[in-house]
Amino acid sequence: FPEEGVDGQFGIVDGFDAKFFVEPDEDTKAKYRKLKEENEQKKRLLQELKGKENITKDGTKINLYANIGGVSDVANVLANDAGGIGLFRSEFLYLESEDYPTEEAQFAAYKTVAENMAGKKVIIRTLDIGADKQVGYFGLEKEENPAMGYRAIRICLDRTEIFKTQLRAIYRASYYGTIAIMFPMIISVNEVKKIKEIIAEVKAGLDADGIPYKDVELGIMIETPAAATISDLLAKEVDFFSIGTNDLTQYTLAIDRQNTKLEAFYDAHHPAVLKMIEMTIANAHKAGIWAGICGELGADTQLTKEFLAMGVDELSVSPAKILPVRKVILETDVEAYRRRKQE
C-alpha cells in the first residue's frame, strides 16, 4: 500500500482480485486500508501455527508437504514449515536447460534438495514434458490435442535413455536423504510394470559401478479417469498415490483448462471429480498404501475438511498455503464432520 505522492500518483494493487486503482476515491482507500490490516492480522495469526503438528481435533495426523519447481524453492519450503516436499517438478531442470540435462547436473540438484531437507521426505516427479510444457531440443511434433498426446511417462517409456539418465540421478541422490519417486500420466498396470523393469536395469547398473543408493518408495500420479477407475489394481503395484487434481479435473470434465472461453464451465468442485478422488483414496487404503493430493485442490481450504473426511493421508501445496491449510486441519473434528454429512 504505497504512500501519497509516490511517482506523482497514488495507486492500490489488489493482488487477490487482480485489480489496480489509480488515484482512488476516499471510500476505496478506506476499504483497502481495512483489508490490508485484516490480511496482516491473518498473517500474524498464521505465524503462530509454525512448529505445530498437523493433527485434527479428533487426533487424525496429516502430512502437509510443499510443491516446488527447483532447488531455489527449498528455502521457502522451510520458511513456511512444510513437513516435506510432496511434488518436486523435475521438468523445470529440462525447461531451464538448452540441452538434455546430464546425469551429473540432475544428481547435483536432487542431492542438494535432499540434503537441505535434512531427512524430510522429498517426492520427485519424473519428467513431465509435453502438453503446455514444451522444450525445443526434444523435437516434439505439433499435436492437435497435446494434453492427451505424447507427454510425460509416454515420452519416458519411448525414449528410455532419457528416462534411465534421470532415474540414475535420482537413485544416486537417494543416498543423501529421504527420496521417493512418482510417475505422471499413468493409465495402465502395464506401464507401471515396464517402469519397474527399467528401474531394475538402473539399479543393476549402479551396483556394477559401485554407486550407493537407498530403496525408495515408488508412487504414481492419479491424473486420469482411467487411473482412478483402476486404482484398485494400480494400488497393488506401488507404495503410494498422489492425486494430480489439475489434470484429473480437466480429463474428467472434458474441458481444456488452458482455454479461457471454457472458464464458465470449469468446476473444480464438480461431484464427479470429488468422487474420483474419494474412490482413489479408498482403494489405496484397501491395498495398504497411502494417498495424497498434490494438485491445486489440495490448497483449496473450502475442500480441506472434505478431503480429511475422505481419509487423505497427505496434502502437498504451494509453500505459502502450508499455514492456511494447517489452520483448517487443526480446527477440524473429522468424525463430527462425517456425522454431519450423513445427517
Side-chain angles (χ1 to χ4, degrees):
F1 209 106
E3 297 295 330
E4 297 279 1
V6 175
D7 292 332
Q9 289 184 304
F10 182 86
I12 298 175
V13 178
D14 181 346
F16 295 102
D17 290 330
K19 295 178 181 177
F20 178 61
F21 301 89
V22 178
E23 297 293 353
D25 58 31
E26 291 303 317
D27 287 344
T28 302
K29 287 181 183 179
K31 171 187 173 183
Y32 278 96
R33 284 196 177 97
K34 182 180 179 182
L35 287 173
K36 180 174 180 284
E37 291 170 3
E38 290 175 352
N39 190 52
E40 289 177 345
Q41 174 65 10
K42 287 179 182 178
K43 286 182 178 179
R44 287 193 292 270
L45 290 173
L46 288 174
Q47 290 304 309
E48 296 175 7
L49 299 177
K50 282 191 174 182
K52 293 190 176 182
E53 289 192 276
N54 309 300
I55 301 177
T56 64
K57 283 186 174 181
D58 55 329
T60 303
K61 184 174 181 179
I62 305 297
N63 287 321
L64 189 52
Y65 293 167
N67 300 335
I68 69 169
V71 177
S72 61
D73 295 332
V74 174
N76 205 17
V77 171
L78 296 173
N80 284 277
D81 200 31
I85 293 172
L87 170 59
F88 182 165
R89 300 180 179 93
S90 69
E91 60 270 14
F92 283 91
L93 295 172
Y94 296 79
L95 290 165
E96 295 169 357
S97 177
E98 295 181 357
D99 202 349
Y100 297 102
T102 64
E103 179 183 323
E104 289 303 320
Q106 294 189 64
F107 165 65
Y110 305 144
K111 177 174 179 282
T112 298
V113 172
E115 288 180 330
N116 287 344
M117 290 303 293
K120 292 182 178 180
K121 185 176 290 185
V122 177
I123 303 176
I124 300 173
R125 178 175 70 187
T126 57
L127 177 63
D128 191 8
I129 288 295
D132 58 329
K133 295 188 283 287
Q134 296 291 322
V135 180
Y137 57 83
F138 269 72
L140 302 180
E141 296 178 2
K142 180 177 174 57
E143 297 178 290
E144 290 298 321
N145 195 347
M148 295 187 179
Y150 188 61
R151 58 173 295 196
I153 201 64
R154 297 165 186 176
I155 293 176
C156 290
L157 292 180
D158 184 44
R159 305 183 184 183
T160 55
E161 289 309 309
I162 296 173
F163 195 30
K164 288 177 182 178
T165 296
Q166 179 173 36
L167 289 171
R168 273 184 62 96
I170 294 173
Y171 268 95
R172 286 174 60 191
S174 70
Y175 186 73
Y176 301 90
T178 305
I179 284 179
I181 310 173
M182 64 182 180
F183 306 96
M185 282 297 293
I186 297 297
I187 62 168
S188 72
V189 171
N190 285 339
E191 287 172 336
V192 179
K193 290 182 175 179
K194 179 60 177 175
I195 289 168
K196 289 180 176 180
E197 290 173 5
I198 293 172
I199 287 174
E201 293 176 22
V202 167
K203 286 182 175 181
L206 292 172
D207 290 337
D209 295 335
I211 297 174
Y213 60 89
K214 295 179 183 177
D215 285 330
V216 302
E217 281 187 305
L218 299 178
I220 60 172
M221 293 192 69
I222 303 295
E223 301 174 275
T224 66
T229 303
I230 63 166
S231 53
D232 57 334
L233 304 177
L234 291 167
K236 298 173 183 178
E237 300 291 333
V238 296
D239 300 308
F240 67 93
F241 288 153
S242 188
I243 303 169
T245 57
N246 300 357
D247 271 334
L248 182 61
T249 303
Q250 171 176 243
Y251 296 133
T252 301
L253 301 184
I255 288 180
D256 179 0
R257 60 190 175 97
Q258 304 294 323
N259 190 335
T260 56
K261 292 181 179 179
L262 299 176
E263 287 180 358
F265 301 94
Y266 188 88
D267 178 12
H269 293 199
H270 195 289
V273 176
L274 298 181
K275 284 186 177 181
M276 287 279 185
I277 294 171
E278 186 173 25
M279 176 174 61
T280 298
I281 294 170
N283 283 333
H285 291 169
K286 286 176 185 176
I289 68 171
W290 62 269
I293 296 173
C294 67
E296 290 179 11
L297 285 188
D300 187 338
T301 51
Q302 294 181 43
L303 289 174
T304 303
K305 291 182 179 181
E306 191 71 26
F307 293 147
L308 293 173
M310 291 179 187
V312 72
D313 303 291
E314 176 246 22
L315 295 170
S316 189
V317 302
S318 64
K321 294 289 187 178
I322 291 289
L323 296 177
V325 173
R326 176 175 294 166
K327 183 175 185 292
V328 179
I329 292 172
L330 296 176
E331 294 172 347
T332 301
D333 183 320
V334 180
E335 287 304 321
Y337 181 78
R338 286 174 179 152
R339 287 196 296 271
R340 287 197 299 273
K341 283 189 64 179
Q342 293 172 354
E343 290 175 356

